[in-house]
Structure formats: C-alpha cells, structure tokens
Amino acid sequence: VMPMMIGGFGNWLVPLMLVIPDMAFPRMNNASFWFLPVSMMLLLGSTYVDNGAGSGWTIYPPLSSGLGHPGCAMDYVILSLHVGGASSIMASINFLITSLTMRTGVMNMLRTSMFVWCIAVTSFLL
C-alpha cells in the first residue's frame, strides 16, 4: 500500500501542487520505481528455491537463521527487504528535497498544501 500511495499519488500530486514540471531527481525517482519490481520478484522467487522461506511475516531470528532454516530462500527474502528499503529511502530523499527546495517564488512553505506537508514529514521520518 505504501509504495502505491506514496510513490504513485505522491509522484503525480506533489509536482502538480507545487506547480513544477517534475520531481527534483527524476533519475533517482525512476531507479526507486524499478527497484520495487526487483524486490517483489526476489520475494516471490524465494518461494521456489529449496523449500521456500518458512519464517513467517516477522522473519523471527531463530526461524530465519541458518540452523532453523537451511538453504538460500531466506537470503532471497532478506535481499528483497534490502532492495525494497533502498527504493523507499531513494524515494523519500527525492520527495523531501522536492518539497523543501522546488517551490515557486510566491509559494513559501506555509502556503503549500497539507498533502505536500504530509509527504515531506513522512519522507523525513523514513
């Protein structure tokens, strides 16, 4: 839900609300978008390696360790989480820089919409 709502609606509405043509770093925006399918393919691909990753959604350490879960399926899940995290961090840097620096001359930070503020605060927290 978060990549779709923040990434999809944010990439469409933030430049529209700030009256700018594009985000601050469009290539980093593109890279963060394409990291998400790679992350999903790694996560789904981990089910077909060995016996799949059977540690649950919490990835509880005794179940995800080499002793509790031999094979490389868990490595694919952990790599998937890292790639998804890199995608989120790149997108949040892009949103934060865009919302803080790319405003028109008339629009100060207090005149921006609440949606842009929410995206900026969420990006800062991420």
Side-chain angles (χ1 to χ4, degrees):
V1 172
M2 284 298 284
M4 183 181 73
M5 297 301 282
I6 296 291
F9 286 124
N11 279 324
W12 176 53
L13 285 174
V14 167
L16 191 66
M17 290 181 173
L18 292 177
V19 193
I20 56 175
D22 200 3
M23 300 290 281
F25 306 115
R27 290 185 182 178
M28 188 166 69
N29 196 17
N30 190 20
S32 72
F33 170 75
W34 284 110
F35 276 6
L36 286 175
V38 171
S39 173
M40 193 59 149
M41 281 190 274
L42 282 169
L43 184 64
L44 292 176
S46 71
T47 60
Y48 299 109
V49 176
D50 296 331
N51 290 329
S55 64
W57 68 275
T58 58
I59 308 177
Y60 188 60
L63 296 177
S64 64
S65 68
L67 180 64
H69 200 82
C72 62
M74 199 66 211
D75 297 337
Y76 284 161
V77 171
I78 293 170
L79 181 62
S80 167
L81 288 174
H82 280 85
V83 171
S87 169
S88 295
I89 289 172
M90 286 175 18
S92 68
I93 289 170
N94 197 7
F95 279 124
L96 191 62
I97 298 300
T98 300
S99 61
L100 290 178
T101 62
M102 292 190 68
R103 293 182 311 272
T104 58
V106 178
M107 184 181 300
N108 60 7
M109 198 61 182
L110 294 176
R111 288 190 175 194
T112 58
S113 67
M114 186 61 90
F115 182 77
V116 176
W117 271 95
C118 291
I119 292 288
V121 168
T122 304
S123 297
F124 175 75
L125 291 175
L126 185 63

